[in-house]
Amino acid sequence: MLQADAATAPARLIAGGATILGASVLADSSIEHYRGSFHHPAMAVPIVAAVAAIRVNAAGGRDRSSVPNEPLRDPAQRPERRPRTPAHAAIAAAGAAGLGFHGWDIARRVGHLRWSTLFYAAPIGAPAALILSGALGAAADALATRDPRLGPLPVGGRFVGALAVIGLVGTSAEAALLHFRGAFHSPWMWLPVTLPPLAALALARDTLSGVPKDTSWALLGATALLGFVGAGFHARGVARNMGGWRNWRQNLLVGPPIPAPPAFTGLALAGLGALLLMRRGHG
Amino acid sequence: MRADALTTPRAANGRAPDVFEPGGWVPMREHREQDEVDFAIVGTGAGGGTLACKLAEAGFSVVAFDAGAYWRPLEDFASDERHQAKLYWTDDRIVDGPDPLKLGSNNSGKSVGGSTVHFAMVSLRFRPEWFKSRTKLGYGVDWPIDWREMWRYYAEVEEALKIAGPVRYPWGPKRPRYPYRAHPLNAAAEHLARGAEALGTDWAETPIATLSAPHGKAHPCVYRGMCVIGCSTNAKQSVLVTWLPRALAAGAEIRDLAMVGRIEMGPNGRATGVHYHREGEWRFQRAKNVVVAGYAIETPRLLLNSACSRFPDGLANRSGLVGRNLMVQLNQAVWGQVDEEIRSYKGPPSLAINEHWNYADAGKDYHGGWAYMSQGPLPISWARSLSGGRGLWGRALIDEMARSNHSVGLKMVGEVLPYAHNRVTLADETDQYGLPIPRVTFAIGDNERRMVAHALDFMEASLEATGARERWRETDDTCHLNGTARMGFDPETSVVDADCRSWDVPNLWICDGSVFPTVGGANPSLTIQALACRTADRIKELSRRGAL
């Protein structure tokens, strides 16, 4: 059973990560689906889901059943139920549906599965961020319960670590695809396809062993920072389009997505939360 | 727009226009006319501009002349077809023969950067066998250059221009990945792709010289569709915005609004410099070497007009081939109507290509190859196609124009064989500089007619497979000019050798599409630039050996 202070700080990190993921999805899908003129009504779903993810997770890692917004001191007082799990499940389901939609968009294109389609059809991995936001949010909530579980799976450092590893690998793959589309025209574009995978590798190792290592802390910390730096680089990328920021209404849509890189921050925070849990003996 | 570019030279007083900044300037080295520069280059297009850059970077002193204006794309190119007719070579010429050519937008350019300032950016490699078409394919003549050598220079040009192309190109031998990724397909390109799949052939995103990601100071393409006129965003990788800024940085001088009228010959049989017209007077620039890069009409015109007592038939003309073997490329099209919007104005016109018939020989009753591409005509050009090509007029033309958003078409680029009777000669009439104007005589052969028939049938089948109705054929069009100063293996059957050096005058070089022995079924600009890079390397090597 968890000690109260052992669970609270990691849970907050994990919930914070889920919140940032939600915020990233909110901004990114708002811009991209606006660019797509919301031609299908379902294109509003990720926006609603992302708003929900932010609302639900912003207070995550804390139990509000008895003392709102305050971590419980006594593990015995923790509730047995996880009242917000349906919300998290709904958010994740919205992400899963998005994956299906984006896959369908790719499949119906001329030429079907070819590089151009992957470059310019709906981004295949982006909706998965909502799935991760839901899963991480649920995990953070579960950590505030007496018996942290999601379904049959016990929630601890290794569970969250696995989620963060999957997220980092997927997000790196998406960055690799889109930076390949941009022909890696700037050497900095190699950063998000090298640093986060290294962090994922270190975290995976720790997740398997249950013992966090110093390099993992450093790599995940750097990845968290990279999310913000990346947003800055993308802002610069927007400026490199015709008209620069004076033409922001067009260039925000065609330039590199500014809200995308912070997804790395969200996942890295969750990873740090996982390390913290492991270090505190809650694998 | 700043009209002064057409009347007053901009490249002067130690500076040249900065093509990346409205009103901007970059420093430019200047040479005195009495100083003997290493190279006087006539023309700054795909051949001359590229060579000027490469030679200047190799440390030679270079002065490059161009009859046209020095534009700054960001401020000088209005999104207007009529306005941009200023980029075409519309000086007086006489066209005759059984199939007189239409000269202008499709095959000429008069500005610093040459026709690449308004070219459609299609950047294709030649099929390897074309360099030995007589030996391997049984028609035309062989090139004196091996395709594997050209393959290296193609890679250099593709890298310099950051060509955006498919990750894997389906035809021909292995090639390096294009430096930038292909652009998204537009609706016209999707029709080509669906039709090609229905007919069981490959298709590809067209390798194209417009940026799909930023490069240096140039912005990526914004898909505004003004691609066969001057690109006002600098996404188009013309010679004006790629090789020439490098040339200037390396110390080359460019003289705009400078029409070269004659090459001066010395008593020792070597060229001594060029006479050129600038700011209302004839001037003379001394040079150790002269490079002619005026393209398939102006190059033979200059050589013929430089006749002197030693070379009464014109320079480099021992073979009598200067001006002969003019080759255009076939440019016929099939159009139709579809239900969905095509919006031809979105993106570069030729975003998808089918080169199947450039690489397949079985099933042809003609020699040579052809490719076809999706199309995106601008309004005036479309009106011309409908009136001149289809014969619509009055109400019928207006009605058809009104539904142009649903018109989709495919257009070929087809190989024309070299015929000695297709030629450029000098007419008796003179132009605004007092120079004899060129006479361009042209006839299509039976081989080409059979190719056109095959191509039109195939393209129509492709359109039909994607649901296009009311199909019609536009048959009276050509594009690209090549030949008239062919390279070859010996002085009796060619004008220049494999280094593009004239057989007769050892310090006279030709560097443009006029040296092509054959043209293939692919747009020539990439090959011209690759040849220029090779020529520069050969010149460097000859210079190193003291053999210039």
Side-chain angles (χ1 to χ4, degrees), chain B residues 202-231:
Chain B
D202 279 326
W203 62 275
E205 298 85 356
T206 311
I208 205 162
T210 182
L211 297 173
S212 62
H215 179 229
K217 291 180 181 171
H219 310 293
C221 184
V222 295
Y223 308 113
R224 54 201 276 283
M226 305 284 168
C227 300
V228 294
I229 57 178
C231 172

Side-chain angles (χ1 to χ4, degrees), chain B residues 163-182:
Chain B
I163 301 294
V167 174
R168 191 190 71 81
Y169 199 67
W171 303 283
K174 195 171 171 344
R175 59 188 71 191
R177 183 185 300 139
Y178 286 100
Y180 276 14
R181 302 292 88 80

Side-chain angles (χ1 to χ4, degrees), chain A residues 109-112 114-117 119-120 179-185 237 239-244 250-251, chain B residues 74 167 177 179-184 190 193-194 197 203-205 212-216 219-220 222 232-233:
Chain A
R109 294 280 180 124
V110 177
H112 309 292
R114 51 191 282 142
W115 283 105
S116 291
T117 317
F119 293 155
Y120 296 113
H179 284 196
F180 181 54
R181 177 178 100 185
F184 289 97
H185 65 85
R240 291 193 71 184
N241 284 281
M242 185 71 187
Q250 182 172 0
N251 288 343
Chain B
L74 295 176
V167 174
R177 183 185 300 139
Y180 276 14
R181 302 292 88 80
H183 295 272
E190 287 181 358
R194 296 215 317 267
E197 285 178 1
W203 62 275
E205 298 85 356
S212 62
H215 179 229
H219 310 293
V222 295
S232 66
T233 74

Side-chain angles (χ1 to χ4, degrees), chain B residues 212-509:
Chain B
S212 62
H215 179 229
K217 291 180 181 171
H219 310 293
C221 184
V222 295
Y223 308 113
R224 54 201 276 283
M226 305 284 168
C227 300
V228 294
I229 57 178
C231 172
S232 66
T233 74
N234 274 338
K236 175 187 285 190
Q237 296 299 280
S238 67
V239 169
L240 178 65
V241 304
T242 55
W243 299 104
L244 292 182
R246 276 173 59 180
L248 289 170
E253 177 183 352
I254 293 162
R255 293 195 190 144
D256 54 341
L257 301 181
M259 175 70 183
V260 175
R262 197 161 67 83
I263 298 163
E264 186 65 34
M265 294 299 298
N268 58 354
R270 292 175 71 89
T272 58
V274 296
H275 296 274
Y276 68 101
H277 191 272
R278 200 184 196 202
E279 294 191 278
E281 59 177 355
W282 283 98
R283 311 177 67 91
F284 181 70
Q285 174 67 52
R286 296 183 66 214
K288 292 178 187 154
N289 292 276
V290 173
V291 182
V292 185
Y295 215 12
I297 295 177
E298 293 302 314
T299 287
R301 179 193 187 193
L302 178 57
L303 295 174
L304 295 173
N305 195 48
S306 299
C308 56
S309 55
R310 189 181 181 115
F311 298 105
D313 298 324
L315 303 184
N317 200 17
R318 186 193 328 176
S319 61
L321 289 177
V322 169
R324 290 194 180 272
N325 297 306
L326 172 68
M327 294 168 286
V328 296
Q329 285 179 315
L330 303 167
N331 204 205
Q332 280 71 9
V334 178
W335 302 92
Q337 285 292 119
V338 292
D339 291 333
E340 72 268 30
E341 286 188 344
I342 293 300
R343 297 188 281 179
S344 290
Y345 43 84
K346 281 186 77 77
S350 301
L351 284 169
I353 184 171
N354 188 342
E355 273 211 83
H356 177 79
W357 293 105
N358 268 338
Y359 288 84
D361 299 315
K364 289 176 175 172
D365 59 350
Y366 53 85
H367 289 303
W370 56 279
Y372 66 91
M373 283 157 255
S374 55
Q375 295 297 306
L378 294 173
I380 294 175
S381 124
W382 181 235
R384 285 207 179 107
S385 287
L386 292 175
S387 55
R390 194 178 178 183
L392 299 184
W393 201 246
R395 171 52 60 187
L397 176 60
I398 292 168
D399 289 346
E400 191 59 41
M401 282 298 288
R403 41 180 220 153
S404 52
N405 225 7
H406 296 267
S407 296
V408 64
L410 302 170
K411 203 170 215 188
M412 72 184 293
V413 170
E415 180 162 12
V416 166
L417 300 185
Y419 300 109
H421 56 260
N422 288 334
R423 64 187 300 200
V424 175
T425 51
L426 298 182
D428 296 330
E429 294 87 340
T430 54
D431 66 4
Q432 70 269 39
Y433 308 105
L435 299 168
I437 64 174
R439 176 191 297 274
V440 183
T441 307
F442 193 80
I444 294 268
D446 287 339
N447 186 72
E448 288 74 31
R449 285 183 224 287
R450 289 195 293 273
M451 177 187 286
V452 166
H454 176 222
L456 290 175
D457 286 348
F458 192 87
M459 292 191 292
E460 180 156 357
S462 174
L463 278 189
E464 187 177 15
T466 63
R469 309 174 308 273
E470 305 173 57
R471 297 179 299 277
W472 63 279
R473 299 175 168 201
E474 184 181 13
T475 56
D476 183 22
D477 209 357
T478 61
C479 62
H480 311 136
L481 303 169
N482 292 283
T484 69
R486 73 158 56 141
M487 62 162 70
F489 298 91
D490 66 75
E492 307 308 319
T493 58
S494 59
V495 178
V496 296
D497 64 15
D499 298 341
C500 294
R501 181 183 206 165
S502 81
W503 293 108
D504 301 350
V505 183
N507 66 339
L508 177 65
W509 312 71

